[in-house]
Amino acid sequence: MKLSKLFTKTLREAPKDEESINAKLLIRGGFIFKNSAGIYTFLPLGWRVIEKLARIVREEINTIGGEELFMPALVEKKYWEATGRWDVEIGFEAKGKKEKNSAFVLGWSHEDILTSMAAKFISSYKDLPRAVYQIQTKFRNESRAKSGLLRGREFLMKDLYSFHESENDLFRYYDLVKRAYFRIFNRSGLEVIYTLAAGGVFTISDTHEFQALSSVGEDKIFVCSKCHYAENSEMSKLKDGDKCPKCGAEIQGKKSIEVGNIFPLGTKYSEAFDLKYSDKDGNQKHVVMGSYGIGISRLMGTIVEVHNDGMGILWPEDVAPFKVHLIVLDHRNQEADKIYEDLEKSGAEVLYDDRVEQSAGEKFADADLIGCPIRIVVSKKTLEKDSAEIKLRGQQKTGLVKLINLADKI
Ligand code: ATP
Ligand code: MG
């Protein structure tokens, strides 16, 4: 992609109404645009990051048997009434301009509508287990929408739902999801802590959250300094300095961001929608369910909160919008165009700063802000040596690489 053609431009200053680092850097870099409080557009650069995260999520969830589908955002009243969730205040109600009363809630979670559909397809133990998921926009009327992508009123979620014969089988799958989640977060460049959290009216036991440590997190967890056993402070009886109930080492209170969670739901939803199956002996039983969320846009915001410095973002390699940020100095020249084309041909994703009016300083600042993992500079000086200068984001050290070796080096 040539920067001279990119839809967006970087901003020197962060917008005054944003407080969070993720929003400031992502807006300045041209990744997102704030349309309203807690409502953002993913601009071309930002959408590339979302697509990379979504791809990782799809690969890992497909591996554990998840089948992707896509449910409506407008969810009709009858579905929410069956579970008593019509009045839950987190929702946005919707109605047609011509109608007087709301007939829909914009989906903020999809257990209700999905369970009603599953009742049409699942009737026997032979139809179990099943797991379906979607990556979709969720709508929540969050009052504290001040943390950029960490808490949107409209945001992207991966929601997975599983259906089982028994609680035993649910917990077998729960463990598979847990391991898939660790792989997703690791590939996204985040270390997460598996944290015990409170259950709710719809769960059969405690739930679990995946928490990324960060001083801007809204959550507080008590985590063992040695074995990383953790509990959410909302339900924990632990406190700073206590001994870990698992290994005896010291417990510490830490702020964190919840990037994902998993819920053993049990049969509350299957009871509400009469989702039953007949077991091997012909007995009718309610299907046992689980649900599993990852906030994909919150994940993007969390990555920025964790991986940044004074100058900009440091994208982990697998989620960076481009692998290489190629800069040409001393006005654009054909050699640099050729390097760009060759790198692209070799399969590298390259953002090419071919702009002619920007100074070297401005180009370097933009490369740091946008945060691609590898910076390559081509100038008169490097070309005299048939070379380009290469530098990793986050490191000071630069090196010269012969042009013929460049693609291999990348
Ligand atoms: P929180 O406790 O942060 O309010 P939650 O427990 O209500 O979130 P779920 O309803 O289970 O979250 O949603 C699943 C995932 O979606 C969360 O783990 C989080 O990563 C993400 N998420 C939830 N609310 C938001 C939001 N307002 N903006 C961005 N991501 C969100
Ligand atoms: Mg939560």
Side-chain angles (χ1 to χ4, degrees), residues 129 164 167-177 179:
H164 307 271
E167 287 189 11
N168 251 348
D169 195 58
L170 164 64
F171 283 110
R172 172 195 61 82
Y173 194 71
Y174 199 80
D175 197 57
L176 283 184
V177 177
R179 284 185 276 158

Side-chain angles (χ1 to χ4, degrees), residues 140 142 149-152 155 157 258-261 263 295 298:
R140 294 186 185 180
E142 303 275 5
L149 293 187
L150 300 185
R151 188 171 293 286
F155 62 96
M157 196 201 284
E258 178 198 314
V259 282
N261 56 24
F263 297 116
R298 179 183 287 184

Side-chain angles (χ1 to χ4, degrees), residues 3-15:
L3 254 177
S4 64
K5 300 265 189 326
L6 192 70
F7 179 61
T8 53
K9 293 194 174 73
T10 56
L11 305 173
R12 285 285 140 256
E13 301 289 328

Side-chain angles (χ1 to χ4, degrees), residues 38 90 108-109 111 138-142 144-145 148-159 181 185 208-211 218-219 232 234 257-263 291-299 302:
I90 197 85
W108 52 270
S109 195
E111 287 85 359
K138 294 274 186 281
F139 302 86
R140 294 186 185 180
N141 199 358
E142 303 275 5
R144 295 172 293 166
L149 293 187
L150 300 185
R151 188 171 293 286
R153 295 198 293 163
E154 179 174 328
F155 62 96
L156 287 165
M157 196 201 284
K158 183 285 297 166
D159 40 329
Y181 271 31
F185 296 123
H208 290 90
E209 297 167 341
F210 294 77
Q211 297 276 0
E218 286 178 12
D219 284 30
N232 193 308
E234 279 174 10
I257 303 169
E258 178 198 314
V259 282
N261 56 24
I262 56 181
F263 297 116
S291 82
Y292 319 83
I294 290 181
I296 295 200
S297 47
R298 179 183 287 184
L299 179 55
T302 305

Side-chain angles (χ1 to χ4, degrees), residues 12-59:
R12 285 285 140 256
E13 301 289 328
K16 297 216 165 44
D17 58 343
E18 289 287 4
E19 296 166 18
S20 68
I21 289 187
N22 77 85
K24 284 182 183 167
L25 291 178
L26 289 168
I27 291 174
R28 282 187 53 213
F31 291 88
I32 60 173
F33 188 95
K34 182 180 187 165
N35 301 102
S36 305
I39 301 177
Y40 296 89
T41 292
F42 292 95
L43 295 162
L45 283 181
W47 190 245
R48 289 181 71 98
V49 177
I50 291 289
E51 292 271 88
K52 299 221 162 155
L53 291 169
R55 186 170 158 196
I56 293 172
V57 165
R58 286 190 171 106
E59 282 174 10

Side-chain angles (χ1 to χ4, degrees), residues 10 137 201 270 326 399:
T10 56
T137 303
V201 275
S270 39
L326 172 65

